[in-house]
Amino acid sequence: MAAENQSSVTEFILGGLTNWPELQFPLLFLFLGIYSVTMIGNLGMITLICLNAQLHTPMYYFLSNLSFVDLCYSSVITPKMLVNFVSEKNTISYAGCMSQLYFFLVFVIAECYMLTVMAYDRYVAICRPLFYNIIMSHRVCSLLVAGVYAIGFIGSTIETGLMLKLSYCDFLISHYFCDILPLMMLSCSSTYDTEMTVFVLAGFDIVVTSLTVLISYAFILSSILRISTTGGRAKAFSTCSSHLAAVGMFYGTTAFMYLKPSTASSLAQENVASVFYTTVIPMLNPLIYSLRNKEVKTAMQKTLRGKMF
């Protein structure tokens, strides 16, 4: 790694979220609380789906994988950030920084495509209900999930490989974790090719997946409007509303971060957007899907009653 990098930088210093010492401990407890809720919520969702046979359907199979992805990419970022709140010098080794970047990209890209697969699942369930069990067979679901993770690893390998080829002349990252745009600002070699490649890859991921989601929900909305009963419409829409909320939050923040030139917004704005999709969204997803989903609430009550008696 270091030989390929051609720079003398062996470690980086993370700038963190704030330079104000009096905010370090309040932020530590805030993000520790967020991370605890994230861990409990996503592990709880995975466990609940595994323990309840009525949740052994394609929709909840994808939801359990979404919880796993949320758990992983939050864990790539948050523990190091918590340590930095109580450390005098927020250093990270060159290898550690590139490893953090690699796995962060794996799970962020996987999240993008997992949400797309979930939208396709809802499209089949509502628009082609008679063929649902045939189209969304166990084999097809397994292949879709395997494809999601494969795309995540391939995309991350390409983008991290480009970052490894850059030479770094500075070591202070004006961010709280190793992300592509803050790292490119430290390079003393030209980043134009890298920036354009990242823009194209991120643009492809966001535009293609968001278009797929939009087209799926256009067909879903059309089918819902053709349902004659009000109760039927409400039931069909309730199965999609949670997913729409998760999609809107994730795509909004990732588009803001990556579909723009690196100088188009302030670091403070980028920090806020990054905090939202690296720590807040992984916490909110299990809450959104549990609080707005009758089947999940019923399964939770059944599981709790079974543990009590």
Side-chain angles (χ1 to χ4, degrees):
M1 275 188 185
E4 191 174 354
N5 177 250
Q6 300 177 357
S7 71
S8 58
V9 174
T10 58
E11 66 177 17
F12 295 102
I13 296 177
L14 295 168
L17 286 175
T18 178
N19 293 323
W20 294 356
E22 61 271 20
L23 291 179
Q24 299 297 323
F25 276 102
L27 287 174
L28 169 65
F29 290 112
L30 172 64
F31 285 103
L32 181 60
I34 291 174
Y35 186 59
S36 299
V37 173
T38 300
M39 293 288 288
I40 294 169
N42 285 290
L43 284 174
M45 182 66 74
I46 294 169
T47 304
L48 191 68
I49 292 170
C50 291
L51 292 178
N52 289 271
Q54 68 266 34
L55 300 182
H56 292 175
T57 64
M59 174 181 170
Y60 294 105
Y61 174 62
F62 296 135
L63 180 54
S64 66
N65 277 278
L66 180 69
S67 291
F68 174 73
V69 170
D70 282 338
L71 194 68
C72 288
Y73 90 75
S74 179
S75 297
V76 169
I77 303 299
T78 311
K80 177 61 178 172
M81 180 173 65
L82 294 175
V83 170
N84 288 346
F85 283 132
V86 294
S87 300
E88 290 185 8
K89 196 173 182 182
N90 304 334
T91 60
I92 184 170
S93 67
Y94 176 81
C97 184
M98 293 302 162
S99 297
Q100 185 185 59
L101 174 65
Y102 179 79
F103 286 106
F104 170 69
L105 290 174
V106 167
F107 294 115
V108 166
I109 295 170
E111 173 111 351
C112 208
Y113 283 90
M114 193 68 71
L115 289 170
T116 307
V117 167
M118 292 173 74
Y120 175 70
D121 172 71
R122 292 299 83 208
Y123 159 75
V124 176
I126 293 174
C127 299
R128 305 192 67 184
L130 298 178
F131 300 97
Y132 182 73
N133 290 330
I134 298 172
I135 297 173
M136 302 304 293
S137 65
H138 178 73
R139 180 175 178 273
V140 169
C141 291
S142 298
L143 288 173
L144 286 172
V145 170
V148 165
Y149 290 119
I151 292 171
F153 278 105
I154 292 169
S156 179
T157 300
I158 294 171
E159 294 183 27
T160 307
L162 291 171
M163 300 305 294
L164 287 168
K165 292 180 179 179
L166 295 179
S167 297
Y168 299 98
C169 300
D170 198 357
F171 52 83
L172 178 59
I173 300 174
S174 300
H175 206 36
Y176 63 95
F177 72 98
C178 295
D179 201 1
I180 287 179
L181 299 181
L183 277 171
M184 281 197 291
M185 295 174 67
L186 307 183
S187 176
C188 48
S189 55
S190 174
T191 62
Y192 178 80
D193 291 340
T194 302
E195 192 167 345
M196 288 299 101
T197 304
V198 169
F199 181 84
V200 169
L201 290 175
F204 178 85
D205 290 337
I206 294 173
V207 173
V208 170
T209 55
S210 60
L211 278 177
T212 304
V213 170
L214 288 173
I215 291 170
S216 296
Y217 274 100
F219 283 110
I220 288 170
L221 181 61
S222 176
S223 296
I224 290 175
L225 292 176
R226 288 200 296 268
I227 298 174
S228 57
T229 62
T230 305
R233 288 181 186 176
K235 184 178 179 181
F237 185 75
S238 68
T239 65
C240 304
S241 58
S242 300
H243 184 251
L244 277 173
V247 166
M249 290 190 301
F250 180 78
Y251 281 102
T253 51
T254 51
F256 173 82
M257 282 298 299
Y258 297 109
L259 295 186
K260 61 175 179 58
S262 58
T263 56
S265 64
S266 69
L267 287 171
Q269 290 175 319
E270 291 182 1
N271 276 344
V272 170
S274 295
V275 164
F276 196 76
Y277 81 84
T278 58
T279 60
V280 178
I281 288 179
M283 177 191 71
L284 290 179
N285 277 347
L287 297 176
I288 291 170
Y289 283 102
S290 60
L291 295 177
R292 297 183 60 87
N293 191 304
K294 187 180 291 186
E295 289 179 325
V296 171
K297 287 190 284 188
T298 302
M300 191 180 301
Q301 291 168 359
K302 183 180 177 181
T303 301
L304 291 174
R305 282 199 301 267
K307 294 292 182 183
M308 291 174 65
F309 299 104

